[in-house]
Amino acid sequence: MDHPKHENSRRRFLRLAATAAPAAVAVAVAPNAAAEVAKPDAPKSRGLRDTEHTRKYFESARF
């Protein structure tokens, strides 16, 4: 039994499924990606902090 109309609808369904799945993922991920881009950058470092640890290191590194 050969049903070309039935095969055509299966192929059409598989094509739709193959294109709909990545599109659904893109739609689900896009709002999160846009939110990450909109985050402000972290404040820039202003150098070393003056702590006991850094003072001890600088004292031991003197020549």
Side-chain angles (χ1 to χ4, degrees):
M1 297 178 92
D2 199 17
H3 300 288
K5 184 177 180 183
H6 193 61
E7 284 182 29
N8 192 16
S9 70
R10 281 187 198 158
R11 288 181 185 157
R12 204 176 289 162
F13 170 76
L14 291 174
R15 269 191 249 140
L16 177 66
T19 57
V25 170
V27 168
V29 172
N32 295 338
E36 288 180 20
V37 171
K39 288 182 185 177
D41 291 337
K44 302 293 181 196
S45 175
R46 296 182 186 228
L48 285 173
R49 295 183 190 155
D50 187 23
T51 63
E52 182 181 348
H53 172 73
T54 55
R55 277 186 247 123
K56 284 182 180 179
Y57 170 76
F58 285 130
E59 286 175 17
S60 70
R62 290 188 185 159
F63 291 92

